């Protein structure tokens, strides 16, 4: 990031409760406080980051738990650096006034004590711009890695669901195979019993025929003997 013009990065900053500006700081003259106030009226009540552009300047608002933190910068200032300033401002303000007099403070009543704090955070970001940028890059990389990990976890879970489906299907197939096997065993036993019954019937018939033939032969032999 270029050093040239660094002192003029931050034009104006404030902290507001709802639409009531509690503390502000600027070393410049212009209509940016009025424009920022107009933007403040349009901000969503939910926690959100909003950005507006006007006359070569960028107006960035960070809304958090009913409070709005604003910074006006040159268009050339990297947005992430401005966001880093707003995050520092929010953390410091919340630590000092969270659940305290800021909830009932009147317009500009915190100017004397918190206006210099706004200036101090602006100067810190300017003095540590390179460090802030490096830290932001690391955060982005960590966020990207986190997103990749979450995506991989989602895919793994999805694959796990598919594996569970396959396992369930395989279990069903195993159960069906076991059912077929048991059914086949029962059929084989039934067929074996039927075959045994048929064999026994056939054997009985054969034995009956043998007896009849034997009796007939015996009778024929007796008749022949008597005639002799």
């Amino acid at each position: 990031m270029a050093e040239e013009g660094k002192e003029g990065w931050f034009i104006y900053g404030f902290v507001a409760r709802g639409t009531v500006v509690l503390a502000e700081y600027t070393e410049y003259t212009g209509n940016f406080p009025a424009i920022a106030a107009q933007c403040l009226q349009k901000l969503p009540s939910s926690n959100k980051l909003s950005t507006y552009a006007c006359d070569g300047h960028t107006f960035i608002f960070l809304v958090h738990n009913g409070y709005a933190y604003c910074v006006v910068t040159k268009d050339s200032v990297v947005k992430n650096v401005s966001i880093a300033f707003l995050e520092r401002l929010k953390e410091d303000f919340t630590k000092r006034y969270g659940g305290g007099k800021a909830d009932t403070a009147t317009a500009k009543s915190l100017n004397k004590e918190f206006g210099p704090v706004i200036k101090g955070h602006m100067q810190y970001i300017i003095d540590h711009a390179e460090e802030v940028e490096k830290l932001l890059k690391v955060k982005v990389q960590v966020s990207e890695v986190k997103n990749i990990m979450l995506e991989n976890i989602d895919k793994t879970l999805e694959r796990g669901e598919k594996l569970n489906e396959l396992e369930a299907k395989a279990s069903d197939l195993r159960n069906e195979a076991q059912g077929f096997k048991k059914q086949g065993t029962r059929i084989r036993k039934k067929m074996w019993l039927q075959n045994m019954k048929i064999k026994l019937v056939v054997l009985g018939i054969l034995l009956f025929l043998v007896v009849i033939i034997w009796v007939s032969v015996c009778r024929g032999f007796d008749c022949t003997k008597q005639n002799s």
Side-chain angles (χ1 to χ4, degrees), residues 11-221:
I11 308 299
Y12 175 60
F14 71 68
V15 179
R17 185 189 68 247
T19 58
V20 179
V21 177
L22 303 179
E24 63 182 356
Y25 172 77
T26 185
E27 292 182 352
Y28 301 88
T29 58
N31 63 345
F32 39 83
I35 296 173
Q38 292 176 7
C39 295
L40 184 62
Q41 302 292 328
K42 303 176 183 178
L43 291 181
S45 57
S46 58
N47 294 352
K48 190 176 180 181
L49 188 72
S50 302
T51 303
Y52 301 91
C54 181
D55 295 332
H57 295 84
T58 301
F59 295 71
I60 303 178
F61 296 84
L62 175 62
V63 177
H64 184 262
N65 294 344
Y67 287 86
Y69 305 86
C70 171
V71 65
V72 180
T73 69
K74 292 182 177 180
D75 281 346
S76 58
V77 177
V78 178
K79 183 179 178 180
N80 283 341
V81 172
S82 299
I83 295 173
F85 162 74
L86 291 176
E87 289 288 349
R88 285 180 61 87
L89 192 63
K90 179 196 72 175
E91 290 176 7
D92 194 340
F93 187 83
T94 302
K95 186 183 296 183
R96 291 169 185 260
Y97 303 108
K101 63 180 180 180
D103 292 343
T104 56
T106 57
K108 308 290 180 67
S109 61
L110 300 181
N111 245 5
K112 185 175 181 181
E113 57 186 277
F114 200 72
V117 176
I118 298 175
K119 177 183 178 181
H121 286 304
M122 288 180 175
Q123 192 62 48
Y124 177 89
I125 296 297
I126 290 172
D127 293 341
H128 301 83
E130 287 75 16
E131 297 174 23
V132 170
E133 277 196 293
K134 289 178 181 178
L135 180 61
L136 290 173
K137 288 179 180 178
V138 171
K139 286 185 176 180
V140 169
Q141 291 173 352
V142 170
S143 178
E144 289 176 352
V145 171
K146 179 182 177 182
N147 291 334
I148 291 172
M149 290 179 66
L150 290 175
E151 184 179 354
N152 290 336
I153 290 172
D154 289 339
K155 289 180 178 179
T156 300
L157 291 175
E158 183 180 353
R159 285 197 299 269
E161 290 178 359
K162 291 180 178 178
L163 288 174
N164 289 336
E165 291 177 4
L166 290 174
E167 185 177 353
K169 290 180 180 179
S171 179
D172 292 339
L173 289 174
R174 284 195 298 269
N175 292 334
E176 289 179 7
Q178 289 176 356
F180 288 137
K181 184 178 180 181
K182 291 179 180 178
Q183 186 177 359
T185 302
R186 287 195 299 268
I187 292 172
R188 284 195 298 272
K189 287 181 178 180
K190 187 176 181 180
M191 291 179 66
W192 183 83
L193 290 173
Q194 288 177 348
N195 290 334
M196 287 300 296
K197 287 179 181 179
I198 293 171
K199 289 178 180 179
L200 289 173
V201 171
V202 172
L203 182 60
I205 293 171
L206 289 174
L207 288 173
F208 179 73
L209 291 174
V210 168
V211 170
I212 291 175
I213 293 171
W214 183 78
V215 171
S216 298
V217 169
C218 288
R219 285 180 179 177
F221 180 76

